Amino acid sequence: MIQAKKSLGQNFLKDENIIGKIVNSLFATEDDLVIEIGPGTGALTRHLYKRYPNFVAIELDERAEEVLKLEMPDLEIIHSDVLKVDFKSLRKKENQRIFVIGNIPYYITSPILFHVFDQAVEITQSVLMMQLEVAQRLAADKRTKDYGILTVQTQFFSQADFLFKVPRQVFHPVPNVDSAVVSFKMNQGLNAAIVPGFKKVVRMAFNQRRKKLSNALKGLGVELSPAEQFLDKRAEELTVDDFIELTRLLGFN
Ligand code: SAM
């Protein structure tokens, strides 16, 4: 065992029942590449290692790496910040499907989600455990304060399913929030050409969420009049389909 480091968001899972439920939520097969974010001391890892011949774990903490290697000498571990890893570069063969799983460090939940979405076209499914509050934001309704960039990107890039809640008591050390496990089935039919423009428009719209889009989108530096039907609204009033339409009308595709 290693002493948990708060700065690395280390809360280790200790409930075998929950561990089993998380691992079983992945619909990968033996042919697929399975990537774990933050194996820590191996709660999920030891099951994934047995089940998937093409398995890679990405861990920032060298101490965890040492512990894992003792138990699983053949485990492939990438010692890196996950935010710097290009998942497709880990493929063992061309066109291999990619699955991403992890009890992710909570201090970088949103950056990790954005990192996974940025690579959505390469990923088939991702199963991630995160703070309950963030999981709820992913499924927020329009016109609520939780509805934001994360909600819109989640629904644009994936079909997200809230799987189950996890009480804080099953971690060591016990964090001060509850958690939840979410499965993201990535949208395979995504039109890659629209992605950069879509992200730019959504970000700019929510950066000034109190303002009407006629004002909030001025910084895009493009003629807004083709999107007249949306200009009197605020970001939180638009659905994902509205944002796609808005992106098209503004010529970002
Ligand atoms: N998977 C283990 C479990 O469920 O018990 C550990 C989960 S713990 C919440 C998060 C793990 O992510 C820790 O092992 C931590 O060292 C690792 N981690 C933190 N920041 C990271 C980063 N930027 N890149 C990769 N791993 C990171």
Side-chain angles (χ1 to χ4, degrees):
M1 247 327 185
I2 57 174
Q3 185 76 25
K5 267 194 197 161
K6 211 171 170 192
S7 62
L8 284 176
Q10 291 182 338
N11 297 99
F12 301 120
L13 253 177
K14 49 177 197 156
D15 182 313
E16 277 303 323
N17 183 33
I18 297 213
I19 291 168
K21 272 170 78 177
I22 298 174
V23 171
N24 289 336
S25 306
L26 211 60
F27 61 79
T29 68
E30 287 193 355
D31 284 337
D32 301 320
L33 171 66
V34 174
I35 300 171
E36 185 186 1
I37 301 174
T41 48
L44 304 171
T45 323
R46 56 182 65 89
H47 298 272
L48 298 164
Y49 175 74
K50 267 193 230 141
R51 203 172 288 190
Y52 299 110
N54 302 288
F55 174 59
V56 182
I58 304 169
E59 174 59 63
L60 196 53
D61 188 348
E62 276 171 348
R63 299 171 312 154
E65 251 185 284
E66 282 169 27
V67 172
L68 293 168
K69 278 287 192 190
L70 281 179
E71 184 183 334
M72 295 166 266
D74 296 331
L75 175 65
E76 183 176 343
I77 309 181
I78 312 245
H79 177 223
S80 168
D81 172 359
V82 63
L83 300 178
K84 296 192 177 134
V85 179
D86 174 9
F87 297 141
K88 67 177 179 314
S89 72
L90 304 178
R91 277 201 176 104
K92 309 293 173 205
K93 49 188 175 204
E94 235 180 291
N95 298 326
Q96 191 174 32
R97 295 198 306 174
I98 300 179
F99 289 74
V100 178
I101 187 167
N103 167 16
I104 59 179
Y106 295 170
Y107 74 104
I108 44 167
T109 304
S110 300
I112 289 177
L113 286 171
F114 289 128
H115 188 60
V116 168
F117 293 146
D118 279 347
Q119 303 183 62
V121 289
E122 310 287 347
I123 299 172
T124 300
Q125 185 205 14
S126 182
V127 171
L128 301 174
M129 172 142 70
M130 65 196 75
Q131 305 91 305
L132 177 62
E133 172 254 325
V134 178
Q136 283 164 340
R137 252 198 278 154
L138 304 183
D141 290 326
K142 269 195 328 171
R143 294 197 174 86
T144 60
K145 77 169 177 18
D146 278 352
Y147 188 74
I149 299 174
L150 211 47
T151 325
V152 173
Q153 282 215 21
T154 299
Q155 293 173 16
F156 177 69
F157 286 109
S158 73
Q159 189 205 309
D161 292 306
F162 184 105
L163 298 184
F164 51 90
K165 208 175 138 178
V166 180
R168 64 193 77 182
Q169 290 78 14
V170 303
F171 297 93
H172 177 80
V174 177
N176 43 25
V177 290
D178 291 319
S179 296
V181 179
V182 181
S183 160
F184 304 86
K185 275 187 223 115
M186 297 300 167
N187 289 335
Q188 302 295 309
L190 215 58
N191 169 7
I194 203 177
V195 173
F198 178 86
K199 282 166 53 181
K200 205 161 156 181
V201 169
V202 171
R203 197 162 286 276
M204 182 126 326
F206 278 105
N207 274 349
Q208 301 186 70
R209 59 185 296 148
R210 303 259 155 261
K211 292 199 175 157
K212 288 187 176 170
L213 294 177
S214 52
N215 263 317
L217 297 180
K218 272 186 184 155
L220 288 172
V222 298
E223 184 55 56
L224 298 180
S225 57
E228 203 188 341
Q229 70 212 72
F230 295 113
L231 298 182
D232 247 4
K233 300 190 170 178
R234 293 177 175 78
E236 63 184 31
E237 296 174 80
L238 267 59
T239 62
V240 175
D241 284 343
D242 290 338
F243 273 111
I244 293 172
E245 178 69 7
L246 173 62
T247 306
R248 289 216 174 94
L249 291 171
L250 294 177
F252 287 109
N253 58 344

